[in-house]
PDB file of all heavy atoms in Angstrom:
ATOM      1  N   VAL A   1     157.324 140.641 204.130  1.00  0.00           N
ATOM      2  CA  VAL A   1     156.393 139.584 204.548  1.00  0.00           C
ATOM      3  C   VAL A   1     157.145 138.356 204.808  1.00  0.00           C
ATOM      4  O   VAL A   1     156.962 137.621 205.835  1.00  0.00           O
ATOM      5  CB  VAL A   1     155.293 139.416 203.559  1.00  0.00           C
ATOM      6  CG1 VAL A   1     154.273 138.271 204.080  1.00  0.00           C
ATOM      7  CG2 VAL A   1     154.439 140.713 203.436  1.00  0.00           C
ATOM      8  N   ILE A   2     158.034 138.002 203.862  1.00  0.00           N
ATOM      9  CA  ILE A   2     158.770 136.726 203.989  1.00  0.00           C
ATOM     10  C   ILE A   2     159.623 136.795 205.241  1.00  0.00           C
ATOM     11  O   ILE A   2     159.749 135.812 206.070  1.00  0.00           O
ATOM     12  CB  ILE A   2     159.657 136.467 202.759  1.00  0.00           C
ATOM     13  CG1 ILE A   2     158.701 136.248 201.523  1.00  0.00           C
ATOM     14  CG2 ILE A   2     160.632 135.289 202.931  1.00  0.00           C
ATOM     15  CD1 ILE A   2     159.494 136.112 200.270  1.00  0.00           C
ATOM     16  N   ALA A   3     160.355 137.866 205.421  1.00  0.00           N
ATOM     17  CA  ALA A   3     161.260 138.100 206.566  1.00  0.00           C
ATOM     18  C   ALA A   3     160.411 137.995 207.941  1.00  0.00           C
ATOM     19  O   ALA A   3     160.965 137.365 208.861  1.00  0.00           O
ATOM     20  CB  ALA A   3     162.007 139.410 206.450  1.00  0.00           C
ATOM     21  N   VAL A   4     159.311 138.595 207.925  1.00  0.00           N
ATOM     22  CA  VAL A   4     158.464 138.585 209.096  1.00  0.00           C
ATOM     23  C   VAL A   4     157.998 137.188 209.472  1.00  0.00           C
ATOM     24  O   VAL A   4     158.132 136.673 210.556  1.00  0.00           O
ATOM     25  CB  VAL A   4     157.198 139.447 208.900  1.00  0.00           C
ATOM     26  CG1 VAL A   4     156.181 139.188 210.132  1.00  0.00           C
ATOM     27  CG2 VAL A   4     157.547 140.920 208.947  1.00  0.00           C
ATOM     28  N   GLU A   5     157.609 136.455 208.400  1.00  0.00           N
ATOM     29  CA  GLU A   5     157.080 135.001 208.634  1.00  0.00           C
ATOM     30  C   GLU A   5     158.257 134.053 209.105  1.00  0.00           C
ATOM     31  O   GLU A   5     158.017 133.140 209.765  1.00  0.00           O
ATOM     32  CB  GLU A   5     156.393 134.508 207.448  1.00  0.00           C
ATOM     33  CG  GLU A   5     155.090 135.161 207.177  1.00  0.00           C
ATOM     34  CD  GLU A   5     154.195 134.428 206.177  1.00  0.00           C
ATOM     35  OE1 GLU A   5     154.747 133.422 205.598  1.00  0.00           O
ATOM     36  OE2 GLU A   5     153.094 134.810 205.864  1.00  0.00           O
ATOM     37  N   GLN A   6     159.462 134.458 208.611  1.00  0.00           N
ATOM     38  CA  GLN A   6     160.578 133.562 209.016  1.00  0.00           C
ATOM     39  C   GLN A   6     161.343 134.136 210.285  1.00  0.00           C
ATOM     40  O   GLN A   6     162.390 133.600 210.598  1.00  0.00           O
ATOM     41  CB  GLN A   6     161.585 133.579 207.761  1.00  0.00           C
ATOM     42  CG  GLN A   6     160.996 132.867 206.580  1.00  0.00           C
ATOM     43  CD  GLN A   6     161.930 132.827 205.515  1.00  0.00           C
ATOM     44  OE1 GLN A   6     163.017 133.548 205.498  1.00  0.00           O
ATOM     45  NE2 GLN A   6     161.743 132.136 204.370  1.00  0.00           N
ATOM     46  N   ALA A   7     160.653 135.102 210.924  1.00  0.00           N
ATOM     47  CA  ALA A   7     161.203 135.618 212.221  1.00  0.00           C
ATOM     48  C   ALA A   7     162.508 136.278 212.061  1.00  0.00           C
ATOM     49  O   ALA A   7     163.440 136.220 212.866  1.00  0.00           O
ATOM     50  CB  ALA A   7     161.250 134.572 213.276  1.00  0.00           C
ATOM     51  N   ARG A   8     162.731 136.879 210.856  1.00  0.00           N
ATOM     52  CA  ARG A   8     164.050 137.505 210.568  1.00  0.00           C
ATOM     53  C   ARG A   8     163.870 138.951 210.531  1.00  0.00           C
ATOM     54  O   ARG A   8     164.828 139.700 210.226  1.00  0.00           O
ATOM     55  CB  ARG A   8     164.619 137.020 209.268  1.00  0.00           C
ATOM     56  CG  ARG A   8     164.961 135.606 209.191  1.00  0.00           C
ATOM     57  CD  ARG A   8     165.694 135.148 207.918  1.00  0.00           C
ATOM     58  NE  ARG A   8     164.853 135.238 206.750  1.00  0.00           N
ATOM     59  CZ  ARG A   8     164.780 136.164 205.809  1.00  0.00           C
ATOM     60  NH1 ARG A   8     165.654 137.246 205.971  1.00  0.00           N
ATOM     61  NH2 ARG A   8     164.006 136.107 204.779  1.00  0.00           N
ATOM     62  N   ALA A   9     162.679 139.554 210.939  1.00  0.00           N
ATOM     63  CA  ALA A   9     162.519 140.984 210.843  1.00  0.00           C
ATOM     64  C   ALA A   9     162.048 141.501 212.161  1.00  0.00           C
ATOM     65  O   ALA A   9     161.388 140.824 212.936  1.00  0.00           O
ATOM     66  CB  ALA A   9     161.479 141.331 209.702  1.00  0.00           C
ATOM     67  N   ASN A  10     162.226 142.796 212.307  1.00  0.00           N
ATOM     68  CA  ASN A  10     161.791 143.526 213.477  1.00  0.00           C
ATOM     69  C   ASN A  10     161.003 144.741 213.018  1.00  0.00           C
ATOM     70  O   ASN A  10     161.512 145.882 213.073  1.00  0.00           O
ATOM     71  CB  ASN A  10     162.884 143.948 214.415  1.00  0.00           C
ATOM     72  CG  ASN A  10     162.464 144.627 215.621  1.00  0.00           C
ATOM     73  OD1 ASN A  10     161.315 144.427 216.121  1.00  0.00           O
ATOM     74  ND2 ASN A  10     163.324 145.385 216.307  1.00  0.00           N
ATOM     75  N   PRO A  11     159.843 144.612 212.459  1.00  0.00           N
ATOM     76  CA  PRO A  11     159.107 145.698 211.790  1.00  0.00           C
ATOM     77  C   PRO A  11     158.739 146.742 212.771  1.00  0.00           C
ATOM     78  O   PRO A  11     158.443 146.458 213.991  1.00  0.00           O
ATOM     79  CB  PRO A  11     157.889 144.972 211.200  1.00  0.00           C
ATOM     80  CG  PRO A  11     157.648 143.744 212.006  1.00  0.00           C
ATOM     81  CD  PRO A  11     159.051 143.290 212.398  1.00  0.00           C
ATOM     82  N   ASN A  12     158.652 147.974 212.239  1.00  0.00           N
ATOM     83  CA  ASN A  12     158.179 149.089 213.061  1.00  0.00           C
ATOM     84  C   ASN A  12     156.683 149.020 213.233  1.00  0.00           C
ATOM     85  O   ASN A  12     156.013 148.256 212.628  1.00  0.00           O
ATOM     86  CB  ASN A  12     158.630 150.384 212.464  1.00  0.00           C
ATOM     87  CG  ASN A  12     158.168 150.634 211.014  1.00  0.00           C
ATOM     88  OD1 ASN A  12     157.119 150.216 210.727  1.00  0.00           O
ATOM     89  ND2 ASN A  12     158.956 151.349 210.252  1.00  0.00           N
ATOM     90  N   ILE A  13     156.177 149.951 214.064  1.00  0.00           N
ATOM     91  CA  ILE A  13     154.766 149.884 214.396  1.00  0.00           C
ATOM     92  C   ILE A  13     153.878 150.219 213.160  1.00  0.00           C
ATOM     93  O   ILE A  13     152.820 149.671 212.958  1.00  0.00           O
ATOM     94  CB  ILE A  13     154.384 150.944 215.496  1.00  0.00           C
ATOM     95  CG1 ILE A  13     152.978 150.713 215.947  1.00  0.00           C
ATOM     96  CG2 ILE A  13     154.768 152.348 215.108  1.00  0.00           C
ATOM     97  CD1 ILE A  13     152.646 149.452 216.590  1.00  0.00           C
ATOM     98  N   ALA A  14     154.406 151.075 212.220  1.00  0.00           N
ATOM     99  CA  ALA A  14     153.543 151.366 210.997  1.00  0.00           C
ATOM    100  C   ALA A  14     153.390 150.099 210.194  1.00  0.00           C
ATOM    101  O   ALA A  14     152.309 149.865 209.654  1.00  0.00           O
ATOM    102  CB  ALA A  14     154.262 152.389 210.239  1.00  0.00           C
ATOM    103  N   THR A  15     154.490 149.357 210.033  1.00  0.00           N
ATOM    104  CA  THR A  15     154.376 148.104 209.262  1.00  0.00           C
ATOM    105  C   THR A  15     153.444 147.039 209.947  1.00  0.00           C
ATOM    106  O   THR A  15     152.681 146.386 209.325  1.00  0.00           O
ATOM    107  CB  THR A  15     155.743 147.466 209.046  1.00  0.00           C
ATOM    108  OG1 THR A  15     156.560 148.381 208.338  1.00  0.00           O
ATOM    109  CG2 THR A  15     155.703 146.166 208.284  1.00  0.00           C
ATOM    110  N   LEU A  16     153.560 146.966 211.251  1.00  0.00           N
ATOM    111  CA  LEU A  16     152.665 146.043 212.008  1.00  0.00           C
ATOM    112  C   LEU A  16     151.253 146.496 211.825  1.00  0.00           C
ATOM    113  O   LEU A  16     150.352 145.634 211.617  1.00  0.00           O
ATOM    114  CB  LEU A  16     153.030 146.193 213.530  1.00  0.00           C
ATOM    115  CG  LEU A  16     154.213 145.410 213.918  1.00  0.00           C
ATOM    116  CD1 LEU A  16     154.452 145.579 215.531  1.00  0.00           C
ATOM    117  CD2 LEU A  16     154.208 143.890 213.701  1.00  0.00           C
ATOM    118  N   CYS A  17     150.936 147.776 211.845  1.00  0.00           N
ATOM    119  CA  CYS A  17     149.541 148.216 211.612  1.00  0.00           C
ATOM    120  C   CYS A  17     149.023 147.885 210.248  1.00  0.00           C
ATOM    121  O   CYS A  17     147.909 147.537 210.098  1.00  0.00           O
ATOM    122  CB  CYS A  17     149.451 149.721 211.907  1.00  0.00           C
ATOM    123  SG  CYS A  17     149.625 150.176 213.664  1.00  0.00           S
ATOM    124  N   ARG A  18     149.936 147.994 209.220  1.00  0.00           N
ATOM    125  CA  ARG A  18     149.512 147.725 207.901  1.00  0.00           C
ATOM    126  C   ARG A  18     149.203 146.236 207.712  1.00  0.00           C
ATOM    127  O   ARG A  18     148.267 145.804 207.032  1.00  0.00           O
ATOM    128  CB  ARG A  18     150.593 148.133 206.961  1.00  0.00           C
ATOM    129  CG  ARG A  18     150.833 149.673 206.750  1.00  0.00           C
ATOM    130  CD  ARG A  18     151.961 149.986 205.898  1.00  0.00           C
ATOM    131  NE  ARG A  18     152.186 151.412 205.737  1.00  0.00           N
ATOM    132  CZ  ARG A  18     153.228 151.941 205.306  1.00  0.00           C
ATOM    133  NH1 ARG A  18     154.214 151.216 204.877  1.00  0.00           N
ATOM    134  NH2 ARG A  18     153.387 153.260 205.159  1.00  0.00           N
ATOM    135  N   LEU A  19     150.104 145.421 208.311  1.00  0.00           N
ATOM    136  CA  LEU A  19     149.904 143.938 208.234  1.00  0.00           C
ATOM    137  C   LEU A  19     148.562 143.579 208.941  1.00  0.00           C
ATOM    138  O   LEU A  19     147.784 142.730 208.457  1.00  0.00           O
ATOM    139  CB  LEU A  19     151.065 143.190 208.880  1.00  0.00           C
ATOM    140  CG  LEU A  19     152.369 143.249 208.021  1.00  0.00           C
ATOM    141  CD1 LEU A  19     153.488 142.620 208.797  1.00  0.00           C
ATOM    142  CD2 LEU A  19     152.223 142.474 206.743  1.00  0.00           C
ATOM    143  N   ALA A  20     148.345 144.141 210.135  1.00  0.00           N
ATOM    144  CA  ALA A  20     147.130 143.827 210.889  1.00  0.00           C
ATOM    145  C   ALA A  20     145.914 144.257 210.097  1.00  0.00           C
ATOM    146  O   ALA A  20     144.947 143.471 210.123  1.00  0.00           O
ATOM    147  CB  ALA A  20     147.218 144.513 212.174  1.00  0.00           C
ATOM    148  N   ASP A  21     145.929 145.424 209.519  1.00  0.00           N
ATOM    149  CA  ASP A  21     144.787 145.887 208.784  1.00  0.00           C
ATOM    150  C   ASP A  21     144.560 145.003 207.581  1.00  0.00           C
ATOM    151  O   ASP A  21     143.324 144.659 207.281  1.00  0.00           O
ATOM    152  CB  ASP A  21     144.994 147.278 208.333  1.00  0.00           C
ATOM    153  CG  ASP A  21     143.846 147.889 207.530  1.00  0.00           C
ATOM    154  OD1 ASP A  21     142.689 147.984 208.116  1.00  0.00           O
ATOM    155  OD2 ASP A  21     143.958 148.199 206.390  1.00  0.00           O
ATOM    156  N   ALA A  22     145.594 144.599 206.951  1.00  0.00           N
ATOM    157  CA  ALA A  22     145.435 143.748 205.716  1.00  0.00           C
ATOM    158  C   ALA A  22     144.875 142.399 206.026  1.00  0.00           C
ATOM    159  O   ALA A  22     144.157 141.694 205.296  1.00  0.00           O
ATOM    160  CB  ALA A  22     146.828 143.632 204.981  1.00  0.00           C
ATOM    161  N   LEU A  23     145.172 141.972 207.281  1.00  0.00           N
ATOM    162  CA  LEU A  23     144.688 140.578 207.796  1.00  0.00           C
ATOM    163  C   LEU A  23     143.409 140.702 208.482  1.00  0.00           C
ATOM    164  O   LEU A  23     142.818 139.709 208.843  1.00  0.00           O
ATOM    165  CB  LEU A  23     145.762 139.985 208.608  1.00  0.00           C
ATOM    166  CG  LEU A  23     147.024 139.527 207.875  1.00  0.00           C
ATOM    167  CD1 LEU A  23     148.159 139.156 208.886  1.00  0.00           C
ATOM    168  CD2 LEU A  23     146.729 138.328 207.023  1.00  0.00           C
ATOM    169  N   GLY A  24     142.895 141.957 208.769  1.00  0.00           N
ATOM    170  CA  GLY A  24     141.611 142.063 209.406  1.00  0.00           C
ATOM    171  C   GLY A  24     141.642 141.847 210.823  1.00  0.00           C
ATOM    172  O   GLY A  24     140.585 141.326 211.379  1.00  0.00           O
ATOM    173  N   VAL A  25     142.739 142.078 211.543  1.00  0.00           N
ATOM    174  CA  VAL A  25     142.816 141.807 212.953  1.00  0.00           C
ATOM    175  C   VAL A  25     143.501 143.057 213.646  1.00  0.00           C
ATOM    176  O   VAL A  25     144.006 143.944 213.034  1.00  0.00           O
ATOM    177  CB  VAL A  25     143.683 140.593 213.345  1.00  0.00           C
ATOM    178  CG1 VAL A  25     143.034 139.311 212.721  1.00  0.00           C
ATOM    179  CG2 VAL A  25     145.117 140.680 212.734  1.00  0.00           C
ATOM    180  N   GLY A  26     143.528 142.952 214.934  1.00  0.00           N
ATOM    181  CA  GLY A  26     144.361 143.950 215.697  1.00  0.00           C
ATOM    182  C   GLY A  26     145.741 143.626 215.731  1.00  0.00           C
ATOM    183  O   GLY A  26     146.175 142.484 215.643  1.00  0.00           O
ATOM    184  N   VAL A  27     146.613 144.652 216.192  1.00  0.00           N
ATOM    185  CA  VAL A  27     148.028 144.337 216.291  1.00  0.00           C
ATOM    186  C   VAL A  27     148.256 143.364 217.414  1.00  0.00           C
ATOM    187  O   VAL A  27     149.184 142.518 217.304  1.00  0.00           O
ATOM    188  CB  VAL A  27     148.722 145.656 216.607  1.00  0.00           C
ATOM    189  CG1 VAL A  27     150.249 145.377 217.009  1.00  0.00           C
ATOM    190  CG2 VAL A  27     148.763 146.616 215.431  1.00  0.00           C
ATOM    191  N   ASP A  28     147.455 143.349 218.479  1.00  0.00           N
ATOM    192  CA  ASP A  28     147.651 142.384 219.498  1.00  0.00           C
ATOM    193  C   ASP A  28     147.512 140.942 218.970  1.00  0.00           C
ATOM    194  O   ASP A  28     148.180 140.046 219.589  1.00  0.00           O
ATOM    195  CB  ASP A  28     146.672 142.602 220.676  1.00  0.00           C
ATOM    196  CG  ASP A  28     145.198 142.552 220.227  1.00  0.00           C
ATOM    197  OD1 ASP A  28     144.973 142.860 219.062  1.00  0.00           O
ATOM    198  OD2 ASP A  28     144.381 142.228 221.096  1.00  0.00           O
ATOM    199  N   SER A  29     146.747 140.741 218.004  1.00  0.00           N
ATOM    200  CA  SER A  29     146.580 139.387 217.493  1.00  0.00           C
ATOM    201  C   SER A  29     147.849 138.869 216.734  1.00  0.00           C
ATOM    202  O   SER A  29     148.083 137.722 216.640  1.00  0.00           O
ATOM    203  CB  SER A  29     145.358 139.298 216.481  1.00  0.00           C
ATOM    204  OG  SER A  29     144.144 139.452 217.221  1.00  0.00           O
ATOM    205  N   LEU A  30     148.652 139.848 216.247  1.00  0.00           N
ATOM    206  CA  LEU A  30     149.783 139.543 215.550  1.00  0.00           C
ATOM    207  C   LEU A  30     151.006 139.144 216.480  1.00  0.00           C
ATOM    208  O   LEU A  30     151.823 138.387 216.123  1.00  0.00           O
ATOM    209  CB  LEU A  30     150.326 140.741 214.612  1.00  0.00           C
ATOM    210  CG  LEU A  30     149.429 141.117 213.485  1.00  0.00           C
ATOM    211  CD1 LEU A  30     150.155 142.117 212.670  1.00  0.00           C
ATOM    212  CD2 LEU A  30     149.048 139.821 212.631  1.00  0.00           C
ATOM    213  N   ILE A  31     150.980 139.777 217.687  1.00  0.00           N
ATOM    214  CA  ILE A  31     152.072 139.490 218.651  1.00  0.00           C
ATOM    215  C   ILE A  31     151.644 138.649 219.793  1.00  0.00           C
ATOM    216  O   ILE A  31     152.437 138.412 220.754  1.00  0.00           O
ATOM    217  CB  ILE A  31     152.621 140.846 219.149  1.00  0.00           C
ATOM    218  CG1 ILE A  31     151.562 141.657 219.942  1.00  0.00           C
ATOM    219  CG2 ILE A  31     153.168 141.670 218.004  1.00  0.00           C
ATOM    220  CD1 ILE A  31     152.035 142.871 220.570  1.00  0.00           C
ATOM    221  N   GLU A  32     150.531 137.941 219.667  1.00  0.00           N
ATOM    222  CA  GLU A  32     150.034 137.067 220.682  1.00  0.00           C
ATOM    223  C   GLU A  32     151.020 135.904 220.859  1.00  0.00           C
ATOM    224  O   GLU A  32     151.444 135.223 219.897  1.00  0.00           O
ATOM    225  CB  GLU A  32     148.656 136.557 220.291  1.00  0.00           C
ATOM    226  CG  GLU A  32     147.920 135.724 221.386  1.00  0.00           C
ATOM    227  CD  GLU A  32     146.559 135.281 220.914  1.00  0.00           C
ATOM    228  OE1 GLU A  32     146.377 135.028 219.800  1.00  0.00           O
ATOM    229  OE2 GLU A  32     145.691 135.346 221.787  1.00  0.00           O
ATOM    230  N   ALA A  33     151.259 135.584 222.117  1.00  0.00           N
ATOM    231  CA  ALA A  33     152.204 134.530 222.370  1.00  0.00           C
ATOM    232  C   ALA A  33     151.631 133.213 222.089  1.00  0.00           C
ATOM    233  O   ALA A  33     150.435 132.942 222.163  1.00  0.00           O
ATOM    234  CB  ALA A  33     152.694 134.531 223.860  1.00  0.00           C
ATOM    235  N   ALA A  34     152.491 132.184 221.833  1.00  0.00           N
ATOM    236  CA  ALA A  34     151.958 130.852 221.553  1.00  0.00           C
ATOM    237  C   ALA A  34     151.363 130.225 222.828  1.00  0.00           C
ATOM    238  O   ALA A  34     151.648 130.603 223.875  1.00  0.00           O
ATOM    239  CB  ALA A  34     153.172 129.936 221.115  1.00  0.00           C
ATOM    240  N   GLY A  35     150.335 129.392 222.535  1.00  0.00           N
ATOM    241  CA  GLY A  35     149.674 128.753 223.712  1.00  0.00           C
ATOM    242  C   GLY A  35     148.905 127.602 223.140  1.00  0.00           C
ATOM    243  O   GLY A  35     149.058 127.090 222.055  1.00  0.00           O
ATOM    244  N   GLY A  36     147.966 127.070 223.962  1.00  0.00           N
ATOM    245  CA  GLY A  36     147.146 125.986 223.577  1.00  0.00           C
ATOM    246  C   GLY A  36     146.016 126.510 222.683  1.00  0.00           C
ATOM    247  O   GLY A  36     146.083 127.644 222.225  1.00  0.00           O
TER     248      GLY A  36
END
């Protein structure tokens, strides 16, 4: 988790799905580009 938040990790799809489920969102919400 620390490595992901510090942009030092390239997690696989299984880890992405676990993080998304734990946060109650879809994977697309995790990789959404910055914007206004």
Side-chain angles (χ1 to χ4, degrees):
V1 178
I2 294 175
V4 167
E5 291 193 357
Q6 295 180 351
R8 295 188 290 104
N10 183 25
N12 57 34
I13 187 63
T15 299
L16 285 178
C17 289
R18 288 174 181 167
L19 289 171
D21 181 64
L23 291 167
V25 298
V27 171
D28 57 331
S29 295
L30 294 187
I31 60 177
E32 185 176 39

